[in-house]
Amino acid sequence: MKYRYAFVLLLGIGACSNPAKEAPAGTYYDLESYLEQQISQLKARNPTVVKQAGFGKDQEQQTTKGIDWSRELDLFLQADINKQAYQSSYQKNRPDSLTYEYRLKAGENLPVQVLRVELDSVTHQPRLVKATLRTKNSLYESERNLWLESEQGVIKRYHIDGFQRLAWLDEKRFLIEGELKE
């Protein structure tokens, strides 16, 4: 019986220390909410996209309406730093009232190195989101540089480039770009 109470207590403690839990409101810019709203609108509008994708030297361009927006913008969602575990991991900088910039503090080991959000002066929605994500361990290294541009609160262009490298293989570069046409 006393083991049951200990187990329940451990479950309660574990639930209180969930590192993926959201940070308190206002800690960092709420990128996730903005992107989720954009994904919902893009699914409803189903815009035509001129998309370029490449891995290594192979590049391909296509015009399509068949985009899974949750998947397409997933790396941007990964750039959201509003998690309780990240609360004190970033230096905040506000160069002006419309710009949020966060840089990973020295000694921290998180994938999002830099996140910059510039708001439109009229709509106060992001007009530019830029981020650098980096992962490195003894077997694998990758870097992803992303940006997206919005006009009047609607995503118009996005770009992802970077590289992946396994310890014993050469670096492989990749690129994804999209421009939305109405």
Side-chain angles (χ1 to χ4, degrees):
M1 186 70 151
K2 69 179 175 181
Y3 293 115
R4 180 186 297 168
Y5 291 117
F7 179 70
V8 170
L9 179 62
L10 285 174
L11 282 176
I13 291 170
C16 293
S17 62
N18 181 359
K21 196 172 179 183
E22 294 301 306
T27 301
Y28 301 119
Y29 186 83
D30 188 4
L31 183 60
E32 182 180 29
S33 292
Y34 169 72
L35 290 169
E36 291 293 346
Q37 177 239 357
Q38 288 295 308
I39 289 168
S40 177
Q41 286 180 6
L42 289 165
K43 285 178 179 178
R45 282 188 10 241
N46 195 27
T48 299
V49 178
V50 177
K51 183 175 175 179
Q52 182 175 333
F55 195 69
K57 294 180 182 180
D58 298 327
Q59 299 274 328
E60 180 180 306
Q61 184 172 337
Q62 65 178 356
T63 300
T64 183
K65 282 182 159 273
I67 296 209
D68 177 348
W69 288 106
S70 296
R71 192 168 159 217
E72 191 78 359
L73 299 178
D74 182 60
L75 271 177
F76 291 94
L77 284 167
Q78 290 178 36
D80 181 56
I81 59 174
N82 246 347
K83 296 174 179 59
Q84 190 170 5
Y86 297 1
Q87 225 177 69
S88 61
S89 299
Y90 291 89
Q91 294 175 318
K92 299 177 189 179
N93 185 21
R94 293 290 308 268
D96 57 56
S97 64
L98 297 173
T99 305
Y100 296 85
E101 187 174 271
Y102 310 104
R103 292 192 175 278
L104 190 63
K105 291 180 180 176
E108 295 287 342
N109 186 21
L110 297 172
V112 180
Q113 304 295 301
V114 178
L115 173 63
R116 182 180 177 96
V117 180
E118 296 178 14
L119 304 180
D120 180 271
S121 62
V122 175
T123 65
H124 292 279
Q125 292 288 315
R127 68 172 189 80
L128 178 66
V129 175
K130 293 177 88 172
T132 300
L133 288 76
R134 193 172 295 134
T135 304
K136 186 174 182 176
N137 59 43
S138 59
L139 299 175
Y140 174 81
E141 181 179 3
S142 76
E143 181 174 293
R144 289 129 345 203
N145 300 295
L146 0 150
W147 58 260
L148 66 79
E149 293 179 345
S150 300
E151 294 173 8
Q152 297 162 350
V154 178
I155 294 175
K156 294 295 182 184
R157 284 171 289 290
Y158 59 94
H159 174 100
I160 303 167
D161 72 62
F163 69 87
Q164 297 176 337
R165 177 182 17 228
L166 291 172
W168 56 90
L169 296 174
D170 290 337
E171 175 179 290
K172 295 287 186 183
R173 301 209 59 80
F174 62 88
L175 168 75
I176 300 170
E177 287 184 328
E179 184 171 352
L180 285 70
K181 306 289 186 183
E182 293 304 318

